[in-house]
Amino acid sequence: MQSHVNITRSKCIRRLLLALLLIGICFGAGDLLEAVKVILYSNSVTVGSIGKPQMSESSNVRVFDTSVDYSNSKQIFKCVDMRIEHLATTPICVYDPTTDIFVSKDIISKGSFEGDYIKEVVKILQDNLSLSFVDIGCNVGVYTLAVAKFGREVIALDANRKNLVMVATSLVKGNLTGKVTLIWNALSDRVEALGFKHKEGNIGALQMESGIRATNDSRGDESSMAIVLDDLVPLLRKRSLFVKMDIESYEYKAMSGGKKFFEEVDVRFLLMEWDFHRTSVEGSRIIQFMTERRFRPVLPLQRLVSLNVENRNTWPNEIMWIRI
Protein backbone atom coordinates (compact mmCIF):
# COMPACT_ATOMS: atom_id res chain seq x y z
CA MET A 1 0.00 0.00 0.00
CA GLN A 2 2.79 2.41 0.93
CA SER A 3 4.57 1.60 -2.32
CA HIS A 4 1.41 2.43 -4.31
CA VAL A 5 1.08 5.78 -2.50
CA ASN A 6 4.71 6.66 -3.27
CA ILE A 7 4.28 5.77 -6.96
CA THR A 8 1.12 7.86 -7.20
CA ARG A 9 2.83 10.79 -5.48
CA SER A 10 5.80 10.54 -7.86
CA LYS A 11 3.48 10.61 -10.87
CA CYS A 12 1.75 13.72 -9.52
CA ILE A 13 5.07 15.47 -8.96
CA ARG A 14 6.27 14.60 -12.48
CA ARG A 15 3.03 15.90 -13.98
CA LEU A 16 3.29 19.12 -11.97
CA LEU A 17 6.88 19.67 -13.07
CA LEU A 18 5.93 19.03 -16.70
CA ALA A 19 3.06 21.52 -16.39
CA LEU A 20 5.39 24.15 -14.94
CA LEU A 21 7.90 23.54 -17.73
CA LEU A 22 5.19 24.03 -20.37
CA ILE A 23 4.01 27.22 -18.64
CA GLY A 24 7.56 28.52 -18.65
CA ILE A 25 7.91 27.78 -22.35
CA CYS A 26 4.57 29.36 -23.25
CA PHE A 27 4.67 32.44 -21.07
CA GLY A 28 8.35 32.97 -20.38
CA ALA A 29 10.33 32.70 -17.18
CA GLY A 30 9.11 36.07 -15.94
CA ASP A 31 5.55 34.79 -15.63
CA LEU A 32 6.40 31.35 -14.27
CA LEU A 33 6.26 32.48 -10.64
CA GLU A 34 2.87 34.09 -11.20
CA ALA A 35 1.55 30.83 -12.66
CA VAL A 36 2.84 28.89 -9.66
CA LYS A 37 0.97 31.30 -7.36
CA VAL A 38 -2.26 30.59 -9.27
CA ILE A 39 -1.73 26.83 -8.89
CA LEU A 40 -1.20 27.29 -5.16
CA TYR A 41 -4.32 29.32 -4.44
CA SER A 42 -6.83 28.79 -7.22
CA ASN A 43 -8.39 25.73 -5.55
CA SER A 44 -8.30 27.15 -2.03
CA VAL A 45 -11.49 26.89 0.02
CA THR A 46 -10.16 28.71 3.08
CA VAL A 47 -12.24 31.77 3.80
CA GLY A 48 -10.10 34.66 4.95
CA SER A 49 -9.19 35.43 8.52
CA ILE A 50 -12.19 37.31 9.87
CA GLY A 51 -14.13 34.48 11.42
CA LYS A 52 -16.38 33.33 8.58
CA PRO A 53 -17.59 29.74 8.04
CA GLN A 54 -15.64 27.43 5.74
CA MET A 55 -17.03 27.13 2.23
CA SER A 56 -17.95 23.72 0.84
CA GLU A 57 -15.24 21.96 -1.14
CA SER A 58 -17.64 21.83 -4.09
CA SER A 59 -18.14 25.59 -4.06
CA ASN A 60 -17.08 27.60 -7.08
CA VAL A 61 -16.21 30.54 -4.82
CA ARG A 62 -12.46 31.18 -5.18
CA VAL A 63 -10.90 32.92 -2.21
CA PHE A 64 -7.79 34.84 -3.22
CA ASP A 65 -4.71 34.13 -1.11
CA THR A 66 -3.59 37.42 0.43
CA SER A 67 -0.62 35.78 2.16
CA VAL A 68 1.38 35.65 -1.10
CA ASP A 69 3.80 38.49 -1.85
CA TYR A 70 2.60 40.10 -5.10
CA SER A 71 4.57 43.32 -4.68
CA ASN A 72 6.83 42.62 -7.69
CA SER A 73 3.92 42.04 -10.09
CA LYS A 74 4.60 43.88 -13.32
CA GLN A 75 1.19 45.62 -13.57
CA ILE A 76 1.81 47.62 -10.39
CA PHE A 77 2.89 51.06 -11.61
CA LYS A 78 3.45 52.39 -8.11
CA CYS A 79 1.82 52.58 -4.69
CA VAL A 80 0.74 55.95 -3.29
CA ASP A 81 -1.22 57.24 -0.30
CA MET A 82 -4.96 57.32 -0.86
CA ARG A 83 -6.15 60.64 0.51
CA ILE A 84 -9.81 61.32 1.23
CA GLU A 85 -10.90 64.32 3.27
CA HIS A 86 -11.63 63.46 6.93
CA LEU A 87 -10.49 59.84 6.45
CA ALA A 88 -7.17 58.29 7.40
CA THR A 89 -4.68 57.77 4.58
CA THR A 90 -3.66 54.29 3.48
CA PRO A 91 -1.42 52.96 0.67
CA ILE A 92 -3.04 51.99 -2.63
CA CYS A 93 -1.33 50.42 -5.66
CA VAL A 94 -2.31 51.72 -9.08
CA TYR A 95 -1.90 51.03 -12.78
CA ASP A 96 0.01 53.21 -15.19
CA PRO A 97 -2.23 56.29 -15.58
CA THR A 98 -1.71 56.25 -19.36
CA THR A 99 -3.60 52.94 -19.52
CA ASP A 100 -6.01 53.63 -16.66
CA ILE A 101 -7.04 57.20 -17.33
CA PHE A 102 -9.97 57.25 -14.90
CA VAL A 103 -9.32 55.41 -11.63
CA SER A 104 -5.52 55.26 -11.32
CA LYS A 105 -5.01 58.68 -12.87
CA ASP A 106 -7.43 60.27 -10.39
CA ILE A 107 -5.82 58.49 -7.44
CA ILE A 108 -2.37 59.72 -8.45
CA SER A 109 -3.44 63.30 -9.20
CA LYS A 110 -6.25 63.83 -6.66
CA GLY A 111 -5.56 61.22 -3.99
CA SER A 112 -8.74 59.22 -4.56
CA PHE A 113 -11.48 58.16 -6.97
CA GLU A 114 -15.15 58.82 -6.16
CA GLY A 115 -14.04 60.25 -2.83
CA ASP A 116 -17.40 61.90 -2.08
CA TYR A 117 -19.23 58.59 -2.47
CA ILE A 118 -16.64 56.82 -0.31
CA LYS A 119 -17.12 59.40 2.45
CA GLU A 120 -20.87 58.84 2.28
CA VAL A 121 -20.41 55.08 2.54
CA VAL A 122 -18.19 55.50 5.60
CA LYS A 123 -20.73 57.89 7.16
CA ILE A 124 -23.49 55.28 6.73
CA LEU A 125 -21.27 52.60 8.25
CA GLN A 126 -20.46 54.93 11.14
CA ASP A 127 -24.18 55.44 11.78
CA ASN A 128 -24.92 51.70 11.48
CA LEU A 129 -22.43 49.82 13.63
CA SER A 130 -23.65 46.34 12.65
CA LEU A 131 -23.04 46.76 8.91
CA SER A 132 -20.36 44.85 7.01
CA PHE A 133 -19.30 46.02 3.55
CA VAL A 134 -19.39 44.00 0.31
CA ASP A 135 -17.52 45.48 -2.66
CA ILE A 136 -18.69 43.80 -5.89
CA GLY A 137 -16.36 44.87 -8.68
CA CYS A 138 -13.67 46.26 -6.40
CA ASN A 139 -11.22 47.31 -9.16
CA VAL A 140 -8.00 48.52 -7.44
CA GLY A 141 -9.84 48.74 -4.14
CA VAL A 142 -10.60 52.38 -3.35
CA TYR A 143 -13.81 51.52 -1.48
CA THR A 144 -12.39 48.33 0.04
CA LEU A 145 -9.29 50.01 1.41
CA ALA A 146 -11.13 53.05 2.76
CA VAL A 147 -13.70 50.92 4.58
CA ALA A 148 -11.07 48.53 5.93
CA LYS A 149 -9.00 51.47 7.15
CA PHE A 150 -12.12 52.77 8.88
CA GLY A 151 -12.14 49.45 10.75
CA ARG A 152 -15.06 47.59 9.19
CA GLU A 153 -14.93 44.08 7.71
CA VAL A 154 -14.99 43.84 3.91
CA ILE A 155 -15.75 41.13 1.36
CA ALA A 156 -14.36 42.29 -2.00
CA LEU A 157 -15.05 40.46 -5.25
CA ASP A 158 -13.56 40.97 -8.70
CA ALA A 159 -13.29 38.89 -11.88
CA ASN A 160 -9.94 40.41 -12.80
CA ARG A 161 -7.07 38.68 -11.04
CA LYS A 162 -4.78 41.64 -11.75
CA ASN A 163 -7.06 43.89 -9.69
CA LEU A 164 -6.89 41.48 -6.77
CA VAL A 165 -3.09 41.42 -6.95
CA MET A 166 -3.16 45.20 -6.65
CA VAL A 167 -5.60 45.16 -3.72
CA ALA A 168 -3.72 42.37 -1.90
CA THR A 169 -0.48 44.36 -2.15
CA SER A 170 -2.20 47.51 -0.87
CA LEU A 171 -3.64 45.57 2.07
CA VAL A 172 -0.21 44.32 3.09
CA LYS A 173 1.32 47.79 2.82
CA GLY A 174 -1.49 49.24 4.95
CA ASN A 175 -1.54 46.36 7.45
CA LEU A 176 -5.20 45.71 6.60
CA THR A 177 -5.10 42.09 5.40
CA GLY A 178 -7.01 40.81 8.42
CA LYS A 179 -9.98 43.06 7.64
CA VAL A 180 -10.60 41.92 4.06
CA THR A 181 -11.54 38.72 2.24
CA LEU A 182 -10.86 38.84 -1.51
CA ILE A 183 -12.88 36.66 -3.87
CA TRP A 184 -11.73 35.95 -7.43
CA ASN A 185 -14.97 35.43 -9.37
CA ALA A 186 -17.29 37.15 -11.78
CA LEU A 187 -21.03 37.30 -11.03
CA SER A 188 -23.74 36.12 -13.40
CA ASP A 189 -27.19 34.53 -13.35
CA ARG A 190 -25.61 31.08 -13.54
CA VAL A 191 -22.30 29.38 -12.92
CA GLU A 192 -20.33 29.71 -16.15
CA ALA A 193 -16.98 30.61 -17.64
CA LEU A 194 -16.90 34.19 -18.89
CA GLY A 195 -14.50 35.87 -21.26
CA PHE A 196 -13.18 39.39 -20.74
CA LYS A 197 -13.75 42.44 -22.88
CA HIS A 198 -11.07 44.95 -21.93
CA LYS A 199 -11.98 48.63 -21.94
CA GLU A 200 -9.49 50.96 -23.56
CA GLY A 201 -8.21 53.51 -21.07
CA ASN A 202 -9.81 51.69 -18.15
CA ILE A 203 -7.60 48.65 -17.68
CA GLY A 204 -8.93 47.86 -14.21
CA ALA A 205 -12.51 47.48 -15.45
CA LEU A 206 -13.81 44.59 -17.52
CA GLN A 207 -16.99 43.84 -19.37
CA MET A 208 -17.97 40.19 -19.21
CA GLU A 209 -18.84 38.27 -22.37
CA SER A 210 -21.20 35.38 -21.73
CA GLY A 211 -21.23 32.31 -23.94
CA ILE A 212 -17.54 32.60 -24.76
CA ARG A 213 -15.37 29.60 -24.05
CA ALA A 214 -12.87 30.41 -21.34
CA THR A 215 -9.29 30.43 -22.58
CA ASN A 216 -6.82 27.96 -21.13
CA ASP A 217 -5.02 30.72 -19.25
CA SER A 218 -3.55 29.66 -15.93
CA ARG A 219 -3.04 33.28 -14.93
CA GLY A 220 -6.71 34.17 -15.35
CA ASP A 221 -5.97 37.21 -17.52
CA GLU A 222 -8.58 36.55 -20.19
CA SER A 223 -11.44 34.77 -18.44
CA SER A 224 -12.99 34.08 -15.06
CA MET A 225 -15.39 31.66 -13.41
CA ALA A 226 -18.74 33.27 -12.71
CA ILE A 227 -20.70 32.38 -9.62
CA VAL A 228 -24.16 33.52 -8.57
CA LEU A 229 -24.91 35.79 -5.62
CA ASP A 230 -26.60 32.88 -3.91
CA ASP A 231 -23.20 31.16 -3.70
CA LEU A 232 -22.18 33.86 -1.21
CA VAL A 233 -25.05 33.16 1.19
CA PRO A 234 -23.01 30.78 3.43
CA LEU A 235 -20.43 33.54 3.77
CA LEU A 236 -22.90 36.31 4.58
CA ARG A 237 -26.01 34.74 6.06
CA LYS A 238 -27.44 36.67 9.05
CA ARG A 239 -25.17 39.63 8.35
CA SER A 240 -26.36 43.16 7.74
CA LEU A 241 -24.72 44.62 4.66
CA PHE A 242 -23.88 47.70 2.69
CA VAL A 243 -23.26 46.48 -0.88
CA LYS A 244 -21.45 48.45 -3.57
CA MET A 245 -21.97 46.99 -7.06
CA ASP A 246 -20.07 48.23 -10.10
CA ILE A 247 -19.73 45.46 -12.69
CA GLU A 248 -19.98 47.25 -16.01
CA SER A 249 -23.61 46.55 -17.06
CA TYR A 250 -23.75 43.05 -15.55
CA GLU A 251 -25.75 44.21 -12.51
CA TYR A 252 -29.07 42.65 -13.51
CA LYS A 253 -27.48 39.32 -14.32
CA ALA A 254 -25.86 39.36 -10.90
CA MET A 255 -29.13 40.20 -9.18
CA SER A 256 -30.97 37.46 -11.06
CA GLY A 257 -28.72 34.90 -9.43
CA GLY A 258 -29.39 36.34 -5.98
CA LYS A 259 -33.02 35.65 -5.08
CA LYS A 260 -31.96 33.55 -2.07
CA PHE A 261 -29.27 36.11 -1.28
CA PHE A 262 -31.79 38.93 -0.92
CA GLU A 263 -34.05 36.71 1.19
CA GLU A 264 -31.47 35.34 3.63
CA VAL A 265 -28.96 38.20 3.82
CA ASP A 266 -29.94 41.51 5.37
CA VAL A 267 -28.99 43.97 2.63
CA ARG A 268 -29.72 47.48 3.90
CA PHE A 269 -27.99 49.67 1.28
CA LEU A 270 -26.88 49.05 -2.29
CA LEU A 271 -24.79 51.62 -4.17
CA MET A 272 -24.65 50.89 -7.88
CA GLU A 273 -23.59 52.38 -11.20
CA TRP A 274 -26.60 53.40 -13.29
CA ASP A 275 -24.89 54.74 -16.38
CA PHE A 276 -25.52 51.59 -18.44
CA HIS A 277 -29.15 51.20 -17.37
CA ARG A 278 -30.89 54.50 -18.08
CA THR A 279 -32.54 53.26 -21.26
CA SER A 280 -31.78 49.53 -21.25
CA VAL A 281 -34.28 46.73 -20.73
CA GLU A 282 -32.13 45.60 -17.81
CA GLY A 283 -32.70 48.97 -16.15
CA SER A 284 -36.46 48.41 -15.88
CA ARG A 285 -35.83 44.86 -14.66
CA ILE A 286 -33.49 46.10 -11.94
CA ILE A 287 -36.15 48.55 -10.77
CA GLN A 288 -38.76 45.80 -10.65
CA PHE A 289 -36.40 43.41 -8.83
CA MET A 290 -35.44 45.96 -6.18
CA THR A 291 -38.88 47.51 -5.60
CA GLU A 292 -40.41 44.04 -5.17
CA ARG A 293 -37.90 43.55 -2.34
CA ARG A 294 -38.87 46.84 -0.67
CA PHE A 295 -35.97 49.01 -1.79
CA ARG A 296 -36.36 52.62 -2.88
CA PRO A 297 -33.89 54.49 -5.12
CA VAL A 298 -32.32 57.71 -3.81
CA LEU A 299 -29.56 60.16 -4.63
CA PRO A 300 -26.41 58.76 -2.94
CA LEU A 301 -25.31 62.12 -1.50
CA GLN A 302 -28.86 63.28 -0.68
CA ARG A 303 -30.54 60.20 0.72
CA LEU A 304 -33.76 62.03 1.57
CA VAL A 305 -34.30 62.68 -2.15
CA SER A 306 -36.07 59.71 -3.72
CA LEU A 307 -35.73 59.02 -7.44
CA ASN A 308 -38.83 58.69 -9.60
CA VAL A 309 -38.91 55.21 -11.12
CA GLU A 310 -40.85 56.55 -14.08
CA ASN A 311 -37.92 58.80 -15.04
CA ARG A 312 -34.99 56.39 -14.77
CA ASN A 313 -33.42 57.90 -17.89
CA THR A 314 -32.74 61.07 -15.86
CA TRP A 315 -31.07 59.29 -12.93
CA PRO A 316 -27.40 60.12 -12.22
CA ASN A 317 -24.44 57.85 -12.93
CA GLU A 318 -24.52 56.50 -9.36
CA ILE A 319 -27.67 55.67 -7.42
CA MET A 320 -28.38 54.11 -4.04
CA TRP A 321 -31.06 51.63 -3.08
CA ILE A 322 -32.23 51.74 0.55
CA ARG A 323 -34.40 49.05 2.12
CA ILE A 324 -37.65 50.54 3.37
Side-chain angles (χ1 to χ4, degrees), residues 236-284:
L236 299 168
R237 184 183 280 114
K238 297 182 180 178
R239 287 175 175 266
S240 297
L241 300 181
F242 188 120
V243 177
K244 178 226 121 188
M245 183 181 290
D246 184 353
I247 46 178
E248 306 297 315
S249 81
Y250 240 67
E251 284 80 5
Y252 180 67
K253 277 210 167 207
M255 290 178 175
S256 298
K259 294 178 176 65
K260 182 179 177 182
F261 179 88
F262 279 92
E263 289 175 2
E264 298 189 21
V265 179
D266 181 21
V267 179
R268 302 278 186 87
F269 301 87
L270 194 158
L271 177 67
M272 68 179 300
E273 186 177 32
W274 191 251
D275 192 33
F276 294 100
H277 304 301
R278 287 194 185 95
T279 58
S280 70
V281 173
E282 287 78 12
S284 61

Side-chain angles (χ1 to χ4, degrees), residues 89-248:
T89 62
T90 191
I92 183 168
C93 300
V94 296
Y95 292 100
D96 186 331
T98 63
T99 59
D100 188 20
I101 61 176
F102 299 107
V103 181
S104 293
K105 187 175 181 179
D106 269 11
I107 293 170
I108 292 170
S109 62
K110 301 176 183 177
S112 68
F113 177 76
E114 297 188 349
D116 287 343
Y117 293 122
I118 292 172
K119 284 192 293 184
E120 189 66 19
V121 169
V122 170
K123 184 178 185 303
I124 291 172
L125 295 175
Q126 193 170 25
D127 293 339
N128 297 268
L129 299 179
S130 65
L131 288 181
S132 297
F133 185 69
V134 176
D135 192 352
I136 297 175
C138 65
N139 203 292
V140 297
V142 284
Y143 284 84
T144 290
L145 294 167
V147 172
K149 186 67 176 179
F150 175 67
R152 205 59 61 90
E153 294 180 354
V154 181
I155 308 292
L157 178 147
D158 206 282
N160 187 349
R161 178 181 168 272
K162 289 182 177 180
N163 285 343
L164 297 181
V165 166
M166 308 283 272
V167 179
T169 305
S170 302
L171 291 172
V172 171
K173 289 181 177 294
N175 195 29
L176 296 172
T177 303
K179 284 291 183 184
V180 179
T181 297
L182 298 180
I183 296 177
W184 179 23
N185 286 103
L187 279 181
S188 185
D189 54 357
R190 62 186 184 276
V191 175
E192 60 177 334
L194 293 176
F196 290 166
K197 183 178 180 182
H198 294 272
K199 297 182 71 176
E200 185 177 354
N202 194 0
I203 192 172
L206 297 172
Q207 286 184 306
M208 300 293 103
E209 293 188 304
S210 184
I212 292 179
R213 185 187 180 103
T215 59
N216 185 22
D217 181 0
S218 63
R219 297 167 299 178
D221 289 348
E222 300 297 334
S223 61
S224 187
M225 174 59 67
I227 58 173
V228 295
L229 265 176
D230 286 349
D231 287 327
L232 299 178
V233 170
L235 197 63
L236 299 168
R237 184 183 280 114
K238 297 182 180 178
R239 287 175 175 266
S240 297
L241 300 181
F242 188 120
V243 177
K244 178 226 121 188
M245 183 181 290
D246 184 353
I247 46 178
E248 306 297 315

